[in-house]
Amino acid sequence: MHLIIVDDHPLFRDALSSAVRLAFPAAEVEEADGIESACAALSRGRSIDLTLLDLTMQGVNGFDGLIAIRTRFPRIPVLVVSGLDDPRIVREALAHGAAGFVPKAAGKPVLIRAITDVLNGAVFVPEGLSGPAEAPGRKAGKAPIAERIAELTPQQVRVLLMIRQGKLNKQIAHELGVGDSTVKAHVSEILRKLGVISRTQIVIETANLDYDHILAGLPSS
């Protein structure tokens, strides 16, 4: 198991690292004091299984750090470990792509259970912090992402996949053999149908989709 702890307080990083190593003696633990250093570590090509992230670090506004990591590394789950424990913040963190949430005031057993659950593919929220029942990653009134994806045309799905790859409109237009204005129109429709307002949100909302299955369902022409 390979984890990275992202927090700008050295003492807390040390404490968290010690707790992880005590529970998982074979774990490899890296530390980063900010989003830039975390992204640099995640970009080195080494297989990192989980990111433990503090929301409130110097120079980070709101959920920007979480969004930055989820956008660039959508396949690596993020477990938020934060001093903020308002249920509304927990729900927003999940809506922005977090795989779980642990208050810093929680004990070691809660942290270890959270790490285990997230690594097993579950979403972890301590009892009492989830608030009113609401599916993780969903805003009130929104259909599941798979249903919203089903509303896209085959060409819009192709554009969506290229957005997920980080390609710009000009690159997409070149690969599809269409004009820039056509790609812009497709992007606008994708945003509308998915109920999001930016390309970053597209990446976050669709991070867990089975793209091989989507591609298999597209016409070959």
Side-chain angles (χ1 to χ4, degrees), residues 178-197:
V178 299
D180 288 357
S181 59
T182 300
V183 174
K184 288 179 181 178
H186 283 319
V187 173
S188 296
E189 277 299 287
I190 292 169
L191 293 171
R192 183 184 68 81
K193 290 179 179 179
L194 297 189
V196 297
I197 61 174

Side-chain angles (χ1 to χ4, degrees), residues 139-157:
K139 299 287 186 179
K142 278 190 179 181
I145 186 62
E147 292 181 15
R148 286 177 270 154
I149 289 286
E151 296 182 6
L152 301 179
T153 66
Q155 191 77 322
Q156 287 167 0
V157 172

